[in-house]
Amino acid sequence: MSSEESVLTVSASPHIKSGETVQKIMWNVNLALAPAAIFGMIWFGLPAVINIVVSIAAAVLTEYVIEKIRKVRVTVRDGSAFITGLLLAMCLPPTLPFYMTAFGAVIAVGVAKMTFGGLGYNIFNPAHIGRAALMVSWPALMTSWASRLPSPDAVTSATVLNVAKHEGYDAVISLFGSHTALYKALLLGTRNGSIGETSAILLLLGGVYLIARGYIKWQVPAVMIGTVGLLTWAFGGLMPSGSGGQLTGGMIFGGGGLFTGDPLFGMLSGGLIIGAFFMATDMVTIPITLKGQIIFAAGCGVITTLIRFVGGYPEGVCYSILLMNCLTPLIDRVTKPRIYGTGRKSYV
Amino acid sequence: MSEAHEARAEKKSGILAIALNLTVACIVSGVILAVAYFITHPVAVQKQKEADALALQTLVPAATSFVPVDGQDNMTVAKNGDTVVAYVVEEAPRGYESAVEMLVAVSSDGKVLNFSITSNKETPGLGTKASEPAFMDQFIGKTSEHLAVTKDPANKEDVQAITGATITSKAVTKGVKAAVDEVAAYTGGK
Amino acid sequence: MKNLWRIFSKGIISENPILVLALSLCPALAVTSSVITSLTMGLTVTFVISLNNIVVSLTRTFVNPKVRVPVYITSIATIVTLAILVLQAYAPQLYKALGNYLSLVVVFAIILARAESFASKNRVFPSFLDGFGMGCGFTLAMVTIGAIREFFGSGSLLGIRILGSWYNAPLLFVMAPGAFIVIGYLVAATKSLNKKREERQKEREAA
């Protein structure tokens, strides 16, 4: 594996030398994630702290050991394994046993990143591969949640999207009391969910910081979240809740007709905010050009919504980003900028 | 194609030779398979019968004879002497992966006596838990109205869904309920 | 004698059908979630490939090259059907476990490939050895994949529980993605093994 430059040159022209290093960018991303992670630790308590620590330690250690065995330069200080561990933990239910978290982190770094050649060569977002591996391995534990919903005597072990998927939008509203109470819980993060996905406002804060530093383009999260909001608003009121073909309640995202879905609920719930700002913008696994990134983000939004509407799972952010990661080389191919002076479509 | 092949292709490539070649191959193959089938088929049928009988016997240990029901090709009556012990119904409700094939033993007053899942291709570790006693024992003694899936742990009347395998739980419950209802329709109609 | 050994042994590691030639990956993914199904599939393929190589070699002077592929396929299909009939009658449980994949043995590329590239040009005994060696290599790879997947995915081997009830098996290994990952790493391991062997051979020749 070569030096850090190889990562930075993966960008569209013009190539301007700047003071940015991989290390600096990565630690800034960690900083941006910190508020939401700290909130998760406070809100969910000790289990969340343990999971975050174990996940980061396992991710960093895996990278270190593999690089030692392969006798190549040890790159753990660039902070990318740290991000993978942190992001993975933030996408896991707080109650997951810690050895499972460690397993996910080892798969994330060992299989999804180091096997492909290390940072800059991985095809898929490592943290999401880790999460997907855990989802396949222990599906029951990966979908059971600590009870932090407002009324403990109601449905105790579900996220808001779970409730919406199985019992309908009205059940979600009655759980929180009112629309405003629901939005407040979604924004502040005082609800059930994965460790770091609950607090929309703190994640947005971190996202805005990264945009301000110029590390990510605002268009990517905006398009992804916007697509989900638009589709939820347009069709969310038509999607029946329930499972196994049995209608159990009302519609998943509201009303009962076209353009009656609740876009705000769709945009703020689940792992959409953390996925859109921190995973769909991972510079290694998404297309190079802005045009390509917008196509990528729109694709993520469409697949996320489709999974939420008709898939077996209530949430689809992880799989949508992984699926679009597969398409990245193809998107790069069709959005390659025209070489100056050549005709249109010269890329074919 | 190698050179040797081509050389031989030159030598005898008449359409008749080619046709004859393939015909002979097929005839030989047909004869071999016919002989093999003649030998193995009776054994296979015998084994299948034994397996079916064993499945019925384990399901209703009290029964001494099993008689197929006329006009109901998925129903068998389990008898001990002349008394009807149970009606065994075959069901194949659609699960998460594919049809869950099962045998349900229903008493003549419409209660679930026992059931077994003969083919379960559901997700390993989740849907396959439907074949475990913890889930299956819930059904025993239930009547049609309580054959519904619940996720509320406080509800002791209905069937508790398997965590992470709601679709399979519902499919199995649907199958058992269908069996109970069919038996009710059959015995009621008599 | 040494030559015959080489014909037999090349299929096991240096030209392993699954791990080096990357043929017949379908069964390597589909039926390797336990050792017993892997082994049955491996033995079935070994039986089919050896017998088919004998048949193809025996008939190589009669079969018209223009219809050789249909004739080979007829031969393979006959042998596979034979195997299915026997399994159905004498081992119905295994037959059920292998399901549709048994009929698919007919179109496993490795079997036709050996008939075409070896048996149709060689005498009967070497052809048998070639098929048998390839079959053994196939079985070895299948059982290795099956053992890894069953051990980590169910905590057991050959259906016998080895790890205690404390072991909360990651289902990843039982499911298809686990098969892909295990095969990937085994291919890498075989490749590095073969590379080392070649280097050693070169050194020996140089010395």
Side-chain angles (χ1 to χ4, degrees):
Chain A
M1 205 199 130
S2 59
S3 60
E4 283 134 21
E5 279 85 17
S6 62
V7 177
L8 282 181
T9 49
V10 187
S11 66
S13 59
H15 301 289
I16 299 170
K17 192 167 162 51
S18 71
E20 301 292 357
T21 61
V22 171
Q23 197 160 344
K24 196 170 157 200
I25 297 177
M26 293 300 173
W27 286 112
N28 264 307
V29 175
N30 280 322
L31 186 68
L33 281 167
I38 291 168
F39 173 80
M41 292 195 241
I42 297 166
W43 175 245
F44 293 110
L46 191 61
V49 179
I50 292 173
N51 269 328
I52 288 182
V53 171
V54 165
S55 181
I56 293 172
V60 172
L61 200 67
T62 308
E63 180 155 315
Y64 179 82
V65 168
I66 291 177
E67 280 170 339
K68 275 284 172 208
I69 292 172
R70 292 190 57 215
K71 298 189 179 71
V72 294
R73 202 169 59 87
V74 174
T75 56
V76 294
R77 290 174 68 182
D78 70 14
S80 70
F82 194 98
I83 294 189
T84 301
L86 182 58
L87 269 179
L88 173 68
M90 289 174 78
C91 294
L92 298 177
T95 46
L96 197 71
F98 70 91
Y99 62 89
M100 295 183 183
T101 309
F103 175 84
V106 170
I107 296 271
V109 173
V111 176
K113 185 176 167 197
M114 299 317 285
T115 303
F116 287 86
L119 181 64
Y121 297 93
N122 50 307
I123 302 170
F124 297 103
N125 185 303
H128 266 170
I129 289 285
R131 195 193 120 88
L134 287 172
M135 196 71 195
V136 173
S137 295
W138 294 285
L141 281 165
M142 279 294 286
T143 46
S144 51
W145 312 85
S147 170
R148 303 262 16 197
L149 280 180
S151 45
D153 51 315
V155 179
T156 46
S157 58
T159 64
V160 274
L161 279 176
N162 244 317
V163 177
K165 180 109 188 170
H166 293 300
E167 286 154 63
Y169 180 70
D170 296 336
V172 176
I173 297 296
S174 64
L175 197 62
F176 284 88
S178 69
H179 283 80
T180 17
L182 169 68
Y183 297 143
K184 208 176 125 194
L186 290 174
L187 272 174
L188 295 180
T190 49
R191 60 176 169 107
N192 269 355
S194 300
I195 296 171
E197 72 171 22
T198 58
S199 174
I201 210 145
L202 292 176
L203 288 167
L204 282 168
L205 189 75
V208 169
Y209 173 73
L210 291 183
I211 292 168
R213 300 284 313 222
Y215 295 147
I216 62 172
K217 298 186 182 105
W218 65 268
Q219 289 94 335
V220 175
V223 168
M224 182 171 172
I225 297 171
T227 311
V228 172
L230 198 69
L231 290 172
T232 305
W233 170 64
F235 305 111
L238 293 174
M239 297 298 154
S241 61
S243 55
Q246 289 173 341
L247 191 72
T248 46
M251 302 298 161
I252 302 179
F253 288 104
L258 213 55
F259 307 115
T260 57
D262 181 349
L264 216 52
F265 173 54
M267 291 192 289
L268 293 176
S269 56
L272 184 60
I273 305 276
I274 189 174
F277 278 96
F278 295 94
M279 272 126 146
T281 54
D282 167 25
M283 56 181 80
V284 177
T285 54
I286 68 167
I288 298 163
T289 62
L290 179 62
K291 201 167 130 195
Q293 294 185 357
I294 289 175
I295 297 174
F296 178 91
C300 288
V302 171
I303 298 172
T304 300
T305 323
L306 268 178
I307 294 177
R308 284 181 178 185
F309 281 180
V310 289
Y313 295 122
E315 176 59 309
V317 170
C318 168
Y319 293 106
S320 78
I321 293 176
L322 288 177
L323 281 169
M324 290 308 288
N325 282 161
C326 304
L327 291 182
T328 293
L330 288 175
I331 298 173
D332 270 339
R333 212 181 136 98
V334 294
T335 57
K336 197 148 86 182
R338 185 164 60 95
I339 297 167
Y340 184 71
T342 59
R344 291 193 77 78
K345 304 249 172 199
S346 61
Y347 53 81
V348 197
Chain B
M1 210 191 276
S2 72
E3 276 177 39
H5 275 136
E6 275 168 49
R8 269 191 283 142
E10 292 285 318
K11 213 163 38 181
K12 37 172 180 177
S13 54
I15 187 79
L16 205 68
I18 293 173
L20 198 67
N21 221 303
L22 206 51
T23 314
V24 171
C26 290
I27 289 174
V28 172
S29 142
V31 169
I32 294 173
L33 288 185
V35 172
Y37 185 78
F38 186 74
I39 299 167
T40 61
H41 188 63
V43 184
V45 170
Q46 185 61 31
K47 282 263 165 106
Q48 184 62 44
K49 260 189 195 156
E50 281 169 20
D52 287 350
L54 188 70
L56 287 172
Q57 193 66 61
T58 8
L59 197 64
V60 195
T64 50
S65 67
F66 294 92
V67 191
V69 176
D70 288 333
Q72 306 270 342
D73 44 353
N74 64 343
M75 209 185 279
T76 312
V77 186
K79 284 183 179 167
N80 186 352
D82 277 339
T83 47
V84 174
V85 184
Y87 293 90
V88 181
V89 189
E90 282 174 48
E91 293 289 344
R94 173 106 187 91
Y96 189 67
E97 299 277 341
S98 63
V100 183
E101 290 168 30
M102 48 202 268
L103 288 173
V104 190
V106 185
S107 67
S108 36
D109 59 343
K111 277 186 185 154
V112 182
L113 284 177
N114 199 353
F115 78 105
S116 68
I117 294 174
T118 46
S119 165
N120 183 349
K121 295 195 177 80
E122 303 293 282
T123 320
L126 289 179
T128 46
K129 283 194 183 152
S131 303
E132 289 173 10
F135 179 71
M136 294 178 75
D137 287 350
Q138 298 186 69
F139 286 88
I140 292 163
K142 279 203 168 54
T143 48
S144 185
E145 67 260 37
H146 288 306
L147 287 169
V149 175
T150 175
K151 286 179 152 190
D152 179 4
N155 186 340
K156 302 277 182 237
E157 297 280 285
D158 294 349
V159 176
Q160 286 290 330
I162 303 162
T163 316
T166 316
I167 295 177
T168 308
S169 313
K170 283 189 175 160
V172 171
T173 312
K174 208 172 118 192
V176 176
K177 190 176 164 64
V180 172
D181 292 346
E182 272 171 47
V183 170
Y186 177 73
T187 49
K190 207 157 49 171
Chain C
M1 195 55 217
K2 206 176 170 190
N3 214 0
L4 287 178
W5 169 248
R6 197 165 292 165
I7 289 172
F8 168 75
S9 65
K10 71 178 182 306
I12 294 176
I13 303 239
S14 67
E15 283 180 40
N16 187 292
I18 294 176
L19 301 178
V20 177
L21 304 179
L23 290 170
S24 301
L25 287 176
C26 162
L29 292 171
V31 294
T32 52
S33 57
S34 74
V35 176
I36 197 81
T37 50
S38 311
L39 187 65
T40 318
M41 185 50 112
L43 294 178
T44 312
V45 167
T46 309
F47 168 73
V48 173
I49 197 170
S50 314
L51 197 56
N52 186 57
N53 267 9
I54 293 173
V55 171
V56 167
S57 178
L58 274 175
T59 56
R60 69 186 190 280
T61 48
F62 315 116
V63 173
N64 190 305
K66 284 203 168 166
V67 285
R68 68 185 194 290
V69 172
V71 171
Y72 296 164
I73 292 286
T74 312
S75 157
I76 298 169
T78 311
I79 297 167
V80 170
T81 315
L82 213 59
I84 291 177
L85 287 175
V86 170
L87 275 180
Q88 209 172 3
Y90 302 103
Q93 287 302 322
L94 279 176
Y95 171 76
K96 220 176 160 188
L98 291 173
N100 297 332
Y101 297 102
L102 268 182
S103 325
L104 280 177
V105 172
V106 177
V107 289
F108 281 2
I110 182 67
I111 299 172
L112 189 62
R114 291 334 286 178
E116 174 78 8
S117 67
F118 197 94
S120 66
K121 296 169 204 153
N122 288 285
R123 296 157 77 80
V124 174
F125 190 60
S127 296
F128 162 74
L129 276 183
D130 174 77
F132 189 62
M134 283 290 163
C136 289
F138 179 85
T139 311
L140 182 72
M142 290 287 281
V143 170
T144 312
I145 300 166
I148 296 173
R149 291 183 66 190
E150 191 181 339
F151 183 77
F152 288 108
S154 322
S156 62
L157 277 176
L158 284 163
I160 302 158
R161 182 109 193 172
I162 290 182
L163 300 176
S165 55
W166 53 268
Y167 184 68
N168 196 342
L171 294 178
L172 177 71
F173 288 96
V174 186
M175 316 275 270
F180 276 108
I181 294 171
V182 169
I183 292 173
Y185 283 108
L186 282 178
V187 167
T190 323
K191 198 155 190 171
S192 86
L193 198 75
N194 276 336
K195 215 166 144 189
K196 270 188 198 142
R197 245 178 28 166
E198 264 169 41
E199 274 165 18
R200 241 183 295 142
Q201 203 147 4
K202 260 184 209 153
E203 272 169 31
R204 223 180 299 151
E205 273 163 22

